[in-house]
Amino acid sequence: MRHLVVVLLSLPLLLAASQEFTYAGFRNAGGGGNNPNLTFNGVTELRPDGILRLTNETSRLIGHAFYPSPLRLLAGGGGRNGMAVSFSTEFAFAVVPEYPKLGGHGLAFVVAPDPRLPGALPSQYLGLLSAADVGNATNHVLAVEFDTVQDFEFGDINDNHVGVDLNSLVSNASASAAPVNLKSGDTIVAWIDYDGGAKLLNVSIVAATAAASSASKPASPLISFHVDLSPIFLDQMFVGFSASTGLLASSHYLMGWSFKLGGGAAPPLDVSSLPSLPRPAAGKNRTSLILAAAFSAFVALVVLAGASAYAAYRYKNRDVVEPWELDYGPHRYNYSELRRATRGFRDRELLGSGGFGKVYRGVLPGKPPRTVVAVKRVSHESRQGLREFVAEIASIGRLRHRNLVQLQGWCRRRGDLLLVYDYMPNGSLDKHLFDDGLMAARLTWDVRLKILRNVASALLYLHEEWEHVVLHRDVKASNVLLDGDMSGRLGDFGLAKLYEHGANPSTTRVVGTLGYLAPELTRTGKATTAADVFAFGALVLEVVAGRRPIEPRAAAEELVLAEWAWERYAAGEVEKVVDARLRGVFDVAEASAAVKVALWCSQPAPAMRPTMREVARYLDAGDAAEVPEPPPPPPPPPVCSGEVGYCDFVHSYPSSSYERAAAAADGVTQTSVATFPYSPLSMRSSHVSV
Ligand SMILES: *[C@@H]1O[C@H](CO)[C@@H](O)[C@H](O)[C@H]1NC(C)=O
Ligand SMILES: *[C@@H]1O[C@H](CO)[C@@H](O)[C@H](O)[C@H]1NC(C)=O
Ligand SMILES: *[C@@H]1O[C@H](CO)[C@@H](O)[C@H](O)[C@H]1NC(C)=O
Ligand SMILES: *[C@@H]1O[C@H](CO)[C@@H](O)[C@H](O)[C@H]1NC(C)=O
Ligand SMILES: *[C@@H]1O[C@H](CO)[C@@H](O)[C@H](O)[C@H]1NC(C)=O
């Protein structure tokens, strides 16, 4: 009897020496049916199709799924002398963000002593650790993160990266996931292999769509990191997954998982036999699915036809200028001329890169003094609508205002569109505001106010003074360039619309930048002058306060700059909003006028916001007494709960008055005065783009 007990007790230990399991989907406890059900924690749920959903698209969620029994990850007696043993794992996952391009926050493969990960926080903590224990060696946590948000606090390299984290969220090794796009919604297969002898941890990923049916592991790993995991592991560790959402949210799914302990590769997953996510995502009814399928088939045909026609066209004659292009006259540059000017688009000539493409410095050939230009290279895959682009560019080219970065011309070749702009020697405003103290010192209060006035007058020109209403759609500090006199010039106008033409027609692309996005934009997707005004308000606060519109590193109450500014304003402490780096050297009347104007622009209801004409007038007057009192702050967003208090900014204003305002703004000529009788600023409905 005693012996039997001993044998029974040691059996798991013997088994643990080389242990493996495969979950091909998670229904009925996995492929073989012999696997135990995983242990869930947080909002993880098993869908009827066998896919695990760790989080949905609600803010600030955590989901965990762990193998229910602990594994012996230390060999040789355990304790201090234990050696981490080899293991290998393969899994298939997908991240489907709430808004395309804006993922939140990511998923991690985790090895931890407690499958509940007690105290863990959502958002940037990925449901792994908390602010109190990040970096503490007593955590004994290994995580391989697949992160879709760039968190500056933890030194993330970008918003699409893989990282190896030891007891911390500051990655000890990380690499960009590109060309794989983690938040594409596609199934992604990942391999993590640890060789206990060589003390080498490898991570590889591949998008399952790129491989035919079963994904094959890339020849060389994405990350190959020399690390001894012995001090990280305890005798008994749990393996599993964690995912979290924050300000913005994604659904994190797991389709299959295999694991092997004790050397050798984990059993390969047959990706084609794993359950796959229905696309478009669940929630749509059958009809719309069928419609979507038919539509995608149609689009595919059109694209195919277009592509082959284009290929044939390119084959016939590369340098052809179509007759209609001649109508747009002298702006057209020669490709080889621009290539020479930028020295073959060399990285050394790179001035910056943004949402629309990379910008190079170029020196045009000719007699000295040679003209220096900025050449923006916009990638554009489809030929559809090319004529519209050129028309659009030609019309942008005719815009002239001293506070706009002048478009001098363009050139197109294959999928590339090259836009030639005036060169701005002082670079972009955000560089000055945030990059280093020396540059920030040049931004005295007078310079800041001048720049804001410049940008306001440029926007006023776009909205009201040109022959058509031109929407900017991406007003932000990095799109404000500074010329030789440190005057502000607005760049990139009109490009957002261009970008939209190229967008996949089956997805709504919200163009803009988080923090500058008017709340109604994420709902209606329809750009308006009022949305530009909202973004301008965010810019004003950013320039006055020297802080980004959304500061992930800030304390909860300072997260959203506009909300924080509201509070300071309501408390009668407008001066506290002003950048401390100015050391109090600023004109109080001008600064409070700017803050008040910004608070008006930040109104959640579009119809409440002033026009650019009013904004420009108040900024020019620079007298706080002239600006009407901004209405009281909107009610606090209901999602603002929990320790860190992150709130989903995009959903910050779900109040019914906002709904009404959005409805009012949708009707072009409808007057909004009835809805907002108390606004002292004159009302006008939003213009719709031309
Ligand atoms: C796993 O869970 C399902 C239902 O959730 C249950 O029917 C099944 O018995 C469980 N299997 C094991 C091995 O516990
Ligand atoms: C997400 O899950 C939580 C908890 O299960 C639930 O309360 C919430 O309604 C879900 N949200 C969505 C958008 O499905
Ligand atoms: C690390 O965590 C342990 C146990 O929770 C705690 O006693 C210790 O103070 C922490 N160390 C640091 C540097 O925070
Ligand atoms: C991992 O990084 C942390 C700091 O981020 C450092 O303290 C630790 O020593 C690193 N560990 C290894 C094994 O490189
Ligand atoms: C890890 O990758 C290296 C190549 O960088 C390879 O030589 C090694 O065999 C790999 N180890 C494992 C355990 O996959």
Side-chain angles (χ1 to χ4, degrees):
M1 197 57 202
R2 258 186 90 105
H3 274 105
L4 191 60
V5 171
V6 171
V7 169
L8 279 179
L9 280 178
S10 53
L11 198 60
L13 298 186
L14 291 174
L15 283 177
S18 120
Q19 191 171 6
E20 67 175 55
F21 54 80
T22 302
Y23 290 87
F26 297 89
R27 191 163 36 183
N28 301 330
N34 303 324
N35 290 332
N37 287 335
L38 298 182
T39 301
F40 299 162
N41 186 3
V43 298
T44 301
E45 63 172 29
L46 178 58
R47 299 176 7 142
D49 58 5
I51 296 178
L52 273 190
R53 179 180 196 157
L54 291 161
T55 68
N56 61 26
E57 283 150 27
T58 298
S59 306
R60 289 182 54 76
L61 296 180
I62 293 181
H64 295 151
F66 276 83
Y67 191 72
S69 38
L71 304 178
R72 295 192 59 90
L73 282 166
L74 286 181
R80 292 185 92 100
N81 311 316
M83 282 264 297
V85 295
S86 300
F87 66 86
S88 165
T89 184
E90 177 179 349
F91 50 92
F93 69 96
V95 180
V96 182
E98 185 181 12
Y99 301 108
K101 299 186 79 185
L102 300 172
H105 257 259
L107 168 130
F109 170 77
V110 192
V111 185
D114 185 336
R116 290 163 304 164
L117 296 165
L121 294 178
S123 304
Q124 74 271 37
Y125 295 99
L126 297 177
L128 290 169
L129 298 170
S130 71
D133 62 9
V134 155
N136 194 326
T138 60
N139 292 333
H140 295 284
V141 169
L142 162 72
V144 177
E145 61 173 45
F146 301 85
D147 195 343
T148 58
V149 173
Q150 179 170 22
D151 190 80
F152 296 100
E153 176 184 356
F154 298 136
D156 286 351
I157 51 173
N158 61 20
D159 62 356
N160 180 44
H161 65 272
V162 181
V164 177
D165 302 349
L166 302 172
N167 293 329
S168 175
L169 284 151
V170 181
S171 300
N172 286 74
S174 66
S176 167
V180 175
N181 178 3
L182 294 177
K183 48 185 177 282
S184 61
D186 296 332
T187 299
I188 293 163
V189 185
W191 292 263
I192 299 168
D193 300 289
Y194 181 65
D195 182 336
K199 303 195 188 332
L200 189 61
L201 183 73
N202 287 353
V203 184
S204 305
I205 53 169
V206 69
T209 44
S213 60
S214 74
S216 53
K217 191 166 164 178
S220 59
L222 179 67
I223 294 178
S224 193
F225 177 46
H226 275 281
V227 58
D228 183 3
L229 293 177
S230 312
I232 302 290
F233 291 165
L234 299 176
D235 281 355
Q236 302 218 317
M237 299 289 277
F238 290 83
V239 293
F241 299 87
S242 175
S244 75
T245 64
L247 214 61
L248 288 166
S250 300
S251 289
H252 295 93
Y253 298 100
L254 209 55
M255 274 73 91
W257 178 28
S258 71
F259 186 92
K260 185 165 198 276
L261 190 64
L269 293 176
D270 178 4
V271 177
S272 61
S273 72
L274 296 180
S276 58
L277 285 176
R279 308 192 76 184
K284 303 270 162 61
N285 60 28
R286 263 188 91 75
T287 331
S288 70
L289 272 179
I290 292 166
L291 277 180
F295 185 63
S296 352
F298 173 74
V299 169
L301 269 177
V302 170
V303 168
L304 209 74
S308 37
Y310 187 36
Y313 150 83
R314 260 176 53 196
Y315 177 76
K316 250 175 75 187
N317 195 339
R318 273 187 176 181
D319 281 342
V320 74
V321 177
E322 292 177 18
W324 47 264
E325 279 186 48
L326 293 174
D327 297 344
Y328 300 120
H331 285 309
R332 203 171 192 276
Y333 281 84
N334 191 314
Y335 181 78
S336 53
E337 187 182 358
L338 293 183
R339 201 186 47 202
R340 259 201 316 279
T342 57
R343 307 182 186 211
F345 300 103
R346 255 201 339 205
D347 277 352
R348 273 187 51 196
E349 307 297 325
L350 198 62
L351 293 171
S353 54
F356 300 114
K358 294 182 167 174
V359 187
Y360 299 85
R361 183 175 179 276
V363 182
L364 293 178
K367 283 198 208 104
R370 301 219 171 122
T371 314
V372 184
V373 291
V375 181
K376 175 160 256 181
R377 192 175 193 174
V378 185
S379 270
H380 192 272
E381 300 88 14
S382 117
R383 187 172 135 79
Q384 276 176 294
L386 190 61
R387 185 173 183 152
E388 285 90 321
F389 304 152
V390 177
E392 181 99 13
I393 287 166
S395 85
I396 294 170
R398 288 193 288 126
L399 290 167
R400 275 182 208 278
H401 187 273
R402 63 184 179 286
N403 297 121
L404 287 177
V405 181
Q406 185 63 45
L407 179 74
Q408 304 215 340
W410 86 95
C411 157
R412 82 175 164 81
R413 185 175 127 129
R414 305 188 196 173
D416 280 343
L417 204 54
L418 301 174
L419 301 176
V420 182
Y421 289 100
D422 282 351
Y423 174 71
M424 292 289 122
N426 277 318
S428 73
L429 175 60
D430 75 323
K431 270 217 291 247
H432 284 263
L433 274 175
F434 302 114
D435 267 12
D436 70 55
L438 218 68
M439 280 170 127
R442 296 178 67 184
L443 292 180
T444 61
W445 172 253
D446 288 345
V447 173
R448 290 183 199 215
L449 186 63
K450 179 175 77 172
I451 292 169
L452 290 176
R453 286 170 172 161
N454 294 155
V455 177
S457 97
L459 271 174
L460 172 59
Y461 171 77
L462 293 180
H463 286 180
E464 296 184 25
E465 292 175 352
W466 201 54
E467 50 197 83
H468 306 297
V469 178
V470 176
L471 301 177
H472 189 287
R473 301 182 187 214
D474 202 12
V475 175
K476 59 178 172 184
S478 57
N479 276 340
V480 175
L481 285 304
L482 302 178
D483 65 15
D485 303 331
M486 294 292 281
S487 288
R489 302 239 209 147
L490 193 55
D492 260 4
F493 42 93
L495 274 199
K497 188 164 176 209
L498 203 72
Y499 193 54
E500 229 168 40
H501 280 306
N504 179 349
S506 65
T507 61
T508 317
R509 199 194 288 267
V510 178
V511 179
T513 305
L514 190 61
Y516 300 90
L517 277 181
E520 75 274 10
L521 262 183
T522 57
R523 295 173 51 93
T524 65
K526 195 189 222 164
T528 57
T529 51
D532 274 355
V533 171
F534 183 94
F536 181 74
L539 177 76
V540 172
L541 286 179
E542 182 171 8
V543 171
V544 171
R547 291 180 28 187
R548 296 186 193 278
I550 291 189
E551 188 77 79
R553 284 170 298 178
E557 61 279 10
E558 301 183 3
L559 170 71
V560 179
L561 180 55
E563 290 177 3
W564 173 74
W566 267 116
E567 275 157 27
R568 297 280 66 79
Y569 175 77
E573 307 175 324
V574 184
E575 306 85 53
K576 290 210 175 147
V577 177
V578 181
D579 194 344
R581 290 177 296 181
L582 291 175
R583 296 168 195 280
V585 186
F586 61 92
D587 183 313
V588 178
E590 286 173 351
S592 23
V595 171
K596 277 168 97 174
V597 167
L599 293 181
W600 271 110
C601 297
S602 308
Q603 286 295 314
M608 292 282 272
R609 296 171 207 148
T611 60
M612 276 321 294
R613 186 171 296 284
E614 290 163 319
V615 168
R617 183 149 52 80
Y618 289 126
L619 281 180
D620 285 343
D623 181 358
E626 275 195 23
V627 188
E629 284 305 304
V639 290
C640 244
S641 61
E643 312 79 352
V644 184
Y646 272 43
C647 4
D648 190 331
F649 180 69
V650 175
H651 284 166
S652 284
Y653 307 110
S655 72
S656 59
S657 66
Y658 155 57
E659 306 268 1
R660 271 184 275 125
D666 277 353
V668 182
T669 52
Q670 186 176 336
T671 166
S672 319
V673 179
T675 320
F676 297 101
Y678 308 115
S679 168
L681 292 186
S682 74
M683 292 300 154
R684 62 107 181 69
S685 54
S686 308
H687 302 272
V688 194
S689 122
V690 282

PDB file of all heavy atoms in Angstrom, residues 135 164-173 225-229 231-232, ligand 4:
ATOM      1  N   GLY A 135       9.091  44.324 -12.688  1.00  0.00           N
ATOM      2  CA  GLY A 135      10.541  44.318 -12.525  1.00  0.00           C
ATOM      3  C   GLY A 135      11.031  43.617 -11.273  1.00  0.00           C
ATOM      4  O   GLY A 135      12.232  43.463 -11.079  1.00  0.00           O
ATOM      5  N   VAL A 164      10.386  39.528 -25.387  1.00  0.00           N
ATOM      6  CA  VAL A 164      10.584  38.555 -24.318  1.00  0.00           C
ATOM      7  C   VAL A 164      10.711  39.341 -23.020  1.00  0.00           C
ATOM      8  O   VAL A 164      11.575  40.211 -22.900  1.00  0.00           O
ATOM      9  CB  VAL A 164      11.861  37.724 -24.559  1.00  0.00           C
ATOM     10  CG1 VAL A 164      12.087  36.764 -23.398  1.00  0.00           C
ATOM     11  CG2 VAL A 164      11.758  36.971 -25.871  1.00  0.00           C
ATOM     12  N   ASP A 165       9.833  39.072 -22.075  1.00  0.00           N
ATOM     13  CA  ASP A 165       9.797  39.829 -20.825  1.00  0.00           C
ATOM     14  C   ASP A 165      10.146  38.914 -19.657  1.00  0.00           C
ATOM     15  O   ASP A 165       9.551  37.844 -19.501  1.00  0.00           O
ATOM     16  CB  ASP A 165       8.384  40.386 -20.579  1.00  0.00           C
ATOM     17  CG  ASP A 165       7.896  41.268 -21.701  1.00  0.00           C
ATOM     18  OD1 ASP A 165       8.694  41.620 -22.576  1.00  0.00           O
ATOM     19  OD2 ASP A 165       6.688  41.600 -21.698  1.00  0.00           O
ATOM     20  N   LEU A 166      11.086  39.345 -18.836  1.00  0.00           N
ATOM     21  CA  LEU A 166      11.445  38.584 -17.640  1.00  0.00           C
ATOM     22  C   LEU A 166      11.062  39.401 -16.408  1.00  0.00           C
ATOM     23  O   LEU A 166      11.639  40.470 -16.184  1.00  0.00           O
ATOM     24  CB  LEU A 166      12.951  38.315 -17.634  1.00  0.00           C
ATOM     25  CG  LEU A 166      13.488  37.552 -18.853  1.00  0.00           C
ATOM     26  CD1 LEU A 166      15.004  37.520 -18.834  1.00  0.00           C
ATOM     27  CD2 LEU A 166      12.930  36.141 -18.897  1.00  0.00           C
ATOM     28  N   ASN A 167      10.071  38.950 -15.705  1.00  0.00           N
ATOM     29  CA  ASN A 167       9.609  39.594 -14.459  1.00  0.00           C
ATOM     30  C   ASN A 167       9.165  41.038 -14.645  1.00  0.00           C
ATOM     31  O   ASN A 167       8.970  41.763 -13.680  1.00  0.00           O
ATOM     32  CB  ASN A 167      10.708  39.583 -13.388  1.00  0.00           C
ATOM     33  CG  ASN A 167      11.006  38.181 -12.923  1.00  0.00           C
ATOM     34  OD1 ASN A 167      10.111  37.333 -12.909  1.00  0.00           O
ATOM     35  ND2 ASN A 167      12.248  37.926 -12.552  1.00  0.00           N
ATOM     36  N   SER A 168       9.045  41.459 -15.871  1.00  0.00           N
ATOM     37  CA  SER A 168       8.798  42.873 -16.129  1.00  0.00           C
ATOM     38  C   SER A 168       8.026  43.013 -17.423  1.00  0.00           C
ATOM     39  O   SER A 168       7.773  42.024 -18.115  1.00  0.00           O
ATOM     40  CB  SER A 168      10.133  43.601 -16.234  1.00  0.00           C
ATOM     41  OG  SER A 168       9.924  44.945 -16.591  1.00  0.00           O
ATOM     42  N   LEU A 169       7.650  44.239 -17.752  1.00  0.00           N
ATOM     43  CA  LEU A 169       7.049  44.483 -19.060  1.00  0.00           C
ATOM     44  C   LEU A 169       8.000  45.256 -19.942  1.00  0.00           C
ATOM     45  O   LEU A 169       7.703  45.572 -21.080  1.00  0.00           O
ATOM     46  CB  LEU A 169       5.719  45.207 -18.895  1.00  0.00           C
ATOM     47  CG  LEU A 169       4.647  44.220 -18.414  1.00  0.00           C
ATOM     48  CD1 LEU A 169       3.592  44.883 -17.592  1.00  0.00           C
ATOM     49  CD2 LEU A 169       4.046  43.470 -19.583  1.00  0.00           C
ATOM     50  N   VAL A 170       9.164  45.587 -19.380  1.00  0.00           N
ATOM     51  CA  VAL A 170      10.233  46.138 -20.209  1.00  0.00           C
ATOM     52  C   VAL A 170      10.892  44.927 -20.845  1.00  0.00           C
ATOM     53  O   VAL A 170      11.449  44.082 -20.155  1.00  0.00           O
ATOM     54  CB  VAL A 170      11.256  46.903 -19.351  1.00  0.00           C
ATOM     55  CG1 VAL A 170      12.342  47.493 -20.218  1.00  0.00           C
ATOM     56  CG2 VAL A 170      10.570  47.969 -18.531  1.00  0.00           C
ATOM     57  N   SER A 171      10.781  44.824 -22.160  1.00  0.00           N
ATOM     58  CA  SER A 171      11.253  43.608 -22.810  1.00  0.00           C
ATOM     59  C   SER A 171      12.769  43.501 -22.740  1.00  0.00           C
ATOM     60  O   SER A 171      13.476  44.484 -22.952  1.00  0.00           O
ATOM     61  CB  SER A 171      10.795  43.585 -24.265  1.00  0.00           C
ATOM     62  OG  SER A 171       9.388  43.632 -24.316  1.00  0.00           O
ATOM     63  N   ASN A 172      13.252  42.291 -22.444  1.00  0.00           N
ATOM     64  CA  ASN A 172      14.695  42.060 -22.462  1.00  0.00           C
ATOM     65  C   ASN A 172      15.167  41.852 -23.888  1.00  0.00           C
ATOM     66  O   ASN A 172      16.328  42.074 -24.191  1.00  0.00           O
ATOM     67  CB  ASN A 172      15.057  40.846 -21.607  1.00  0.00           C
ATOM     68  CG  ASN A 172      14.953  41.170 -20.125  1.00  0.00           C
ATOM     69  OD1 ASN A 172      13.852  41.278 -19.601  1.00  0.00           O
ATOM     70  ND2 ASN A 172      16.077  41.348 -19.464  1.00  0.00           N
ATOM     71  N   ALA A 173      14.284  41.413 -24.744  1.00  0.00           N
ATOM     72  CA  ALA A 173      14.599  41.309 -26.165  1.00  0.00           C
ATOM     73  C   ALA A 173      13.308  41.594 -26.897  1.00  0.00           C
ATOM     74  O   ALA A 173      12.245  41.161 -26.449  1.00  0.00           O
ATOM     75  CB  ALA A 173      15.103  39.914 -26.506  1.00  0.00           C
ATOM     76  N   PHE A 225      17.330  34.721 -28.265  1.00  0.00           N
ATOM     77  CA  PHE A 225      17.793  35.467 -27.097  1.00  0.00           C
ATOM     78  C   PHE A 225      18.497  34.516 -26.136  1.00  0.00           C
ATOM     79  O   PHE A 225      17.920  33.515 -25.701  1.00  0.00           O
ATOM     80  CB  PHE A 225      16.560  36.122 -26.444  1.00  0.00           C
ATOM     81  CG  PHE A 225      16.836  36.877 -25.179  1.00  0.00           C
ATOM     82  CD1 PHE A 225      17.903  37.757 -25.078  1.00  0.00           C
ATOM     83  CD2 PHE A 225      15.991  36.734 -24.075  1.00  0.00           C
ATOM     84  CE1 PHE A 225      18.133  38.465 -23.917  1.00  0.00           C
ATOM     85  CE2 PHE A 225      16.213  37.439 -22.909  1.00  0.00           C
ATOM     86  CZ  PHE A 225      17.294  38.305 -22.828  1.00  0.00           C
ATOM     87  N   HIS A 226      19.759  34.822 -25.842  1.00  0.00           N
ATOM     88  CA  HIS A 226      20.515  34.007 -24.894  1.00  0.00           C
ATOM     89  C   HIS A 226      20.101  34.369 -23.486  1.00  0.00           C
ATOM     90  O   HIS A 226      20.314  35.496 -23.040  1.00  0.00           O
ATOM     91  CB  HIS A 226      22.024  34.255 -25.059  1.00  0.00           C
ATOM     92  CG  HIS A 226      22.607  33.407 -26.131  1.00  0.00           C
ATOM     93  ND1 HIS A 226      22.922  32.081 -25.944  1.00  0.00           N
ATOM     94  CD2 HIS A 226      22.904  33.681 -27.412  1.00  0.00           C
ATOM     95  CE1 HIS A 226      23.396  31.579 -27.058  1.00  0.00           C
ATOM     96  NE2 HIS A 226      23.391  32.523 -27.975  1.00  0.00           N
ATOM     97  N   VAL A 227      19.512  33.413 -22.789  1.00  0.00           N
ATOM     98  CA  VAL A 227      19.063  33.709 -21.433  1.00  0.00           C
ATOM     99  C   VAL A 227      18.975  32.407 -20.640  1.00  0.00           C
ATOM    100  O   VAL A 227      18.576  31.369 -21.172  1.00  0.00           O
ATOM    101  CB  VAL A 227      17.693  34.436 -21.453  1.00  0.00           C
ATOM    102  CG1 VAL A 227      16.639  33.609 -22.152  1.00  0.00           C
ATOM    103  CG2 VAL A 227      17.239  34.805 -20.053  1.00  0.00           C
ATOM    104  N   ASP A 228      19.409  32.482 -19.413  1.00  0.00           N
ATOM    105  CA  ASP A 228      19.258  31.333 -18.530  1.00  0.00           C
ATOM    106  C   ASP A 228      17.964  31.537 -17.748  1.00  0.00           C
ATOM    107  O   ASP A 228      17.855  32.463 -16.944  1.00  0.00           O
ATOM    108  CB  ASP A 228      20.459  31.246 -17.588  1.00  0.00           C
ATOM    109  CG  ASP A 228      20.372  30.021 -16.687  1.00  0.00           C
ATOM    110  OD1 ASP A 228      19.396  29.237 -16.865  1.00  0.00           O
ATOM    111  OD2 ASP A 228      21.249  29.846 -15.826  1.00  0.00           O
ATOM    112  N   LEU A 229      16.996  30.675 -18.013  1.00  0.00           N
ATOM    113  CA  LEU A 229      15.701  30.848 -17.363  1.00  0.00           C
ATOM    114  C   LEU A 229      15.666  30.209 -15.972  1.00  0.00           C
ATOM    115  O   LEU A 229      14.652  30.299 -15.286  1.00  0.00           O
ATOM    116  CB  LEU A 229      14.581  30.272 -18.240  1.00  0.00           C
ATOM    117  CG  LEU A 229      14.343  31.021 -19.557  1.00  0.00           C
ATOM    118  CD1 LEU A 229      13.267  30.327 -20.389  1.00  0.00           C
ATOM    119  CD2 LEU A 229      13.937  32.469 -19.298  1.00  0.00           C
ATOM    120  N   PRO A 231      16.879  31.038 -13.033  1.00  0.00           N
ATOM    121  CA  PRO A 231      16.452  31.891 -11.908  1.00  0.00           C
ATOM    122  C   PRO A 231      14.997  32.358 -12.026  1.00  0.00           C
ATOM    123  O   PRO A 231      14.406  32.795 -11.029  1.00  0.00           O
ATOM    124  CB  PRO A 231      17.397  33.098 -11.980  1.00  0.00           C
ATOM    125  CG  PRO A 231      18.283  32.913 -13.136  1.00  0.00           C
ATOM    126  CD  PRO A 231      17.910  31.677 -13.865  1.00  0.00           C
ATOM    127  N   ILE A 232      14.443  32.312 -13.228  1.00  0.00           N
ATOM    128  CA  ILE A 232      13.055  32.755 -13.409  1.00  0.00           C
ATOM    129  C   ILE A 232      12.100  31.658 -12.947  1.00  0.00           C
ATOM    130  O   ILE A 232      11.082  31.921 -12.314  1.00  0.00           O
ATOM    131  CB  ILE A 232      12.779  33.073 -14.901  1.00  0.00           C
ATOM    132  CG1 ILE A 232      13.737  34.141 -15.421  1.00  0.00           C
ATOM    133  CG2 ILE A 232      11.327  33.480 -15.111  1.00  0.00           C
ATOM    134  CD1 ILE A 232      13.512  35.511 -14.875  1.00  0.00           C
TER     135      ILE A 232
HETATM  136  C1  LIG B   4      15.981  41.830 -18.173  1.00  0.00           C
HETATM  137  O1  LIG B   4      15.780  43.237 -18.080  1.00  0.00           O
HETATM  138  C2  LIG B   4      15.767  43.748 -16.754  1.00  0.00           C
HETATM  139  C3  LIG B   4      15.524  45.227 -16.832  1.00  0.00           C
HETATM  140  O2  LIG B   4      14.620  45.531 -17.752  1.00  0.00           O
HETATM  141  C4  LIG B   4      17.081  43.474 -16.073  1.00  0.00           C
HETATM  142  O3  LIG B   4      17.012  43.925 -14.736  1.00  0.00           O
HETATM  143  C5  LIG B   4      17.351  41.997 -16.125  1.00  0.00           C
HETATM  144  O4  LIG B   4      18.636  41.757 -15.580  1.00  0.00           O
HETATM  145  C6  LIG B   4      17.301  41.486 -17.536  1.00  0.00           C
HETATM  146  N1  LIG B   4      17.508  40.057 -17.504  1.00  0.00           N
HETATM  147  C7  LIG B   4      18.292  39.411 -18.352  1.00  0.00           C
HETATM  148  C8  LIG B   4      18.442  37.963 -18.135  1.00  0.00           C
HETATM  149  O5  LIG B   4      18.840  39.994 -19.280  1.00  0.00           O
END
